[in-house]
Amino acid sequence: MLSRCVQSLVRSHLDNDFALCPQGYSTSSLCSVHAVPFIINCFKRLPLLVNSSYWSSASLNIAVLQVAEFGRVAIVTKAQVDEGCTTYAQGGVCAVLDPLDSVEKHVQDTMVAGAHLNNPAAVDAVCREGPKAVLELVELGAQFTTNPDGSLHLTNEGGHSNRRVVHAADVTGREIERALIHSAKTNPNITFFEHHFAQDLVYDQINGASHCLGADVLDQQAGTMTRFVAPVTLLATGGGGQVYPNTTNPSVTTGDGMAMAYRAKASMANMEFVQFHPTAFFSGGAPVSRGRTFLISEALRGEGGVLYNQSMERFMPQYDARLELAPRDVVARSIQDQMMKRGESHVLLDVSHESASKIMKHFPNIAAQCRQSGIDITQQPIPVVPAQHYMCGGVQTGLLGETNIPGLFACGEVACTGLHGANRLASNSLLEGLVFANRAVEASVCHAEYALKQAGSALHHAAVSADFTGSQAPAALSIASSEWIAATRNELTSLMWSNAGIVRNTSDMQKGLTRLSSLCMEVKSLVKSSGVNTALTELRNLATVGELIMASALQRKESRGLHYCVDFPFVAQDQCHPTVIKSSMKRRNLGKMKVSPHTMRMQPRPGFVAPVPVSKDKSSRKARELSRLRSVREE
């Protein structure tokens, strides 16, 4: 029965049909197998869209809506569908829509913010294709803030030389998410699996190369495991903000997609570049909501907000001529320097000199949140402190969102496309998700056709070999294990902040990496003896991401963008290339790894186009089609 179901999937995909294997046809009563054309966002059904706890709706839903024209899609999401960083994104999504602006200016701003570590081809693609992607959101029903004449209101943020940030007051992410989820939920070819937590990717050898064939997923409410079998899997799982003690990311962002991809031997790039947002609300130790610190949008500084120390002295003129609109890494380090020199727990962000009507029109959500803490932002300054906000590194991808593992795609924060370089320009993140989701569609459909014709036996084997017994079976934790996990997670986050925070040094990072490597082994041992559960998987993923951040940071012998090391305080031209990790922690011998050549070596020179990994089978239709698609895109 299972074999016929998988065969039916292979036959029916090209007819836009969807085959779902019923629960029970497996080697375990706690296991079911879902065969789907696509999986996207670590927990969804598109060919297979995986959203392992982080709902990157901008990238995920754009891809879902387009791929659903070719077959059924499974969307797997760790929490409810609207939980993740997108819904908390305040500032906006940038695009060149002002006649006085230009794509070239946007490209230059992005390269400057990224300290010229960016991939120029990725930067050009996003800046050039961005306006069309943003206007498509309007067509889908996103309601952005407009001017009296009906045109889109454009605000400014740090690092931008022109007003180009489209926004919906100060709840832009929530509005984009609303429009996209509504469109996805009304599409009969898209099925959502909420509260499903992807544990690991399924992969196997095909023609001598490892191919991704889906994901093993924990149904957190039913306590059962399911294998989603699909020729294409797209990760849109966001970052790993919870690896730090203070973050603007919600509790679901535990680096799940990055860790799963790394365990499947995907290349990881630029993991050392962790962005700390300069202005998160300082709560004075009060409990934070959903594991996240409330963000005070950069747009507030773009509309006139000024930073002061607690003596009400404006300090940014001491650090950068761009003042409060300097790139985030500069502002974050400046704030930390003030706090350390003066022994203060926070600084102040004041916008009260602007008219109350302007403040309330553009920042109603920030005003409401601050009011709950007794602060009227039209009259009082806001206490702020830097907090982890975004990861510029991730799963290394090409210009079509493809990874070095055929069948596995990634977009959004989980991916490292080369757009951001050493530091992300404000409001480029949502834009990156939109553009690369669009770019991944054609390539993923092309691969699905190839896989369904050439990998039928591998897909069948992936389905019938699912075994969720023993250590692979869902299991409740003992009280002792739960306490150990909680204590170890606290140790991990404290270690990351003290040894790989805003300002770093080699000695602390080496000590941190040694402890993290040991911690990873301890967690791995517990996984083997405790079975599958959410808390342990999250700790495993966080430990993996933390080790990758620390190991990558130790490779970079300079200070560039978000990575500032006091032992190498200057930019070094011979270091102007991405940091790429391809081997396991064991093979790297606890971080004593040699920098190896890789396919995305980027130099800050005009006209550079990063090569994209392709199948070794040069004669295959997939390789030829991917090559054709790249050529069309680059033209």
Side-chain angles (χ1 to χ4, degrees), residues 353-570:
H353 52 276
E354 300 289 342
S355 70
S357 59
K358 175 183 176 180
I359 294 171
M360 297 307 296
K361 177 182 178 181
H362 292 302
F363 308 107
N365 183 49
I366 293 175
Q369 290 288 335
C370 290
R371 194 178 304 116
Q372 292 179 10
S373 299
I375 295 172
D376 179 357
I377 68 172
T378 66
Q379 301 291 327
Q380 300 167 272
I382 307 168
V384 295
V385 66
Q388 192 282 338
H389 182 58
Y390 189 86
M391 296 181 67
C392 291
V395 184
Q396 188 179 38
T397 71
L399 296 178
L400 301 176
E402 78 279 26
T403 70
N404 63 306
I405 302 175
L408 180 65
F409 293 75
C411 60
E413 189 175 352
V414 68
C416 180
T417 65
L419 169 67
H420 305 306
N423 180 31
R424 175 174 70 87
L425 180 66
S427 289
N428 261 358
S429 54
L430 288 174
L431 187 67
E432 178 190 37
L434 294 172
V435 170
F436 273 90
N438 278 323
R439 286 177 149 253
V441 170
E442 292 176 279
S444 62
V445 171
C446 172
H447 177 81
E449 182 179 352
Y450 155 81
L452 289 169
K453 290 181 178 180
Q454 302 296 322
S457 61
L459 290 166
H460 168 68
H461 181 263
V464 298
S465 63
D467 181 6
F468 299 117
T469 58
S471 63
Q472 301 302 310
L477 289 168
S478 66
I479 294 176
S481 293
S482 296
E483 291 175 348
W484 183 87
I485 288 171
T488 303
R489 183 162 169 170
N490 286 335
E491 179 191 357
L492 169 65
T493 58
S494 296
L495 185 69
M496 291 302 298
W497 174 246
S498 60
N499 295 53
I502 298 175
V503 177
R504 304 163 176 174
N505 69 75
T506 302
S507 176
D508 283 348
M509 289 190 290
Q510 288 174 337
K511 293 175 183 176
L513 181 59
T514 299
R515 176 57 188 137
L516 277 169
S517 300
S518 298
L519 193 151
C520 284
M521 299 305 294
E522 293 171 17
V523 174
K524 185 177 180 179
S525 177
L526 184 58
V527 168
K528 290 182 178 179
S529 62
S530 297
V532 178
N533 61 81
T534 297
L536 184 53
T537 300
E538 287 187 335
L539 177 60
R540 177 178 63 159
N541 293 341
L542 287 169
T544 299
V545 169
E547 195 274 340
L548 287 169
I549 291 172
M550 205 81 75
S552 297
L554 278 167
Q555 289 188 54
R556 187 161 292 281
K557 308 302 183 184
E558 64 166 352
S559 290
R560 185 185 296 266
L562 300 167
H563 173 72
Y564 186 85
C565 180
V566 295
D567 301 304
F568 304 96
F570 304 110

Side-chain angles (χ1 to χ4, degrees), residues 253-321:
T253 55
T254 50
D256 307 319
M258 294 177 180
M260 285 192 300
Y262 175 65
R263 288 194 291 268
K265 299 180 175 57
S267 297
M268 309 298 294
N270 288 349
M271 291 293 288
E272 70 268 37
F273 296 114
V274 179
Q275 186 175 81
F276 292 84
H277 198 286
T279 54
F281 185 80
F282 176 72
S283 61
V288 295
S289 174
R290 299 188 180 182
R292 61 181 292 273
T293 302
F294 182 70
L295 173 70
I296 304 299
S297 171
E298 187 159 356
L300 194 141
R301 283 179 280 132
E303 293 296 329
V306 178
L307 286 165
Y308 298 97
N309 57 35
Q310 291 185 33
S311 296
M312 291 307 292
E313 298 168 343
R314 187 179 186 181
F315 57 82
M316 281 308 299
Q318 303 174 32
Y319 298 97
D320 197 282

Side-chain angles (χ1 to χ4, degrees), residues 552-594:
S552 297
L554 278 167
Q555 289 188 54
R556 187 161 292 281
K557 308 302 183 184
E558 64 166 352
S559 290
R560 185 185 296 266
L562 300 167
H563 173 72
Y564 186 85
C565 180
V566 295
D567 301 304
F568 304 96
F570 304 110
V571 172
Q573 281 307 109
D574 65 349
Q575 293 283 305
C576 192
H577 56 77
T579 306
V580 177
I581 292 180
K582 295 183 177 181
S583 55
S584 67
M585 182 183 72
K586 184 177 181 180
R587 291 185 63 185
R588 286 183 280 118
N589 190 24
L590 301 182
K592 296 176 183 178
M593 135 177 156
K594 196 175 174 183

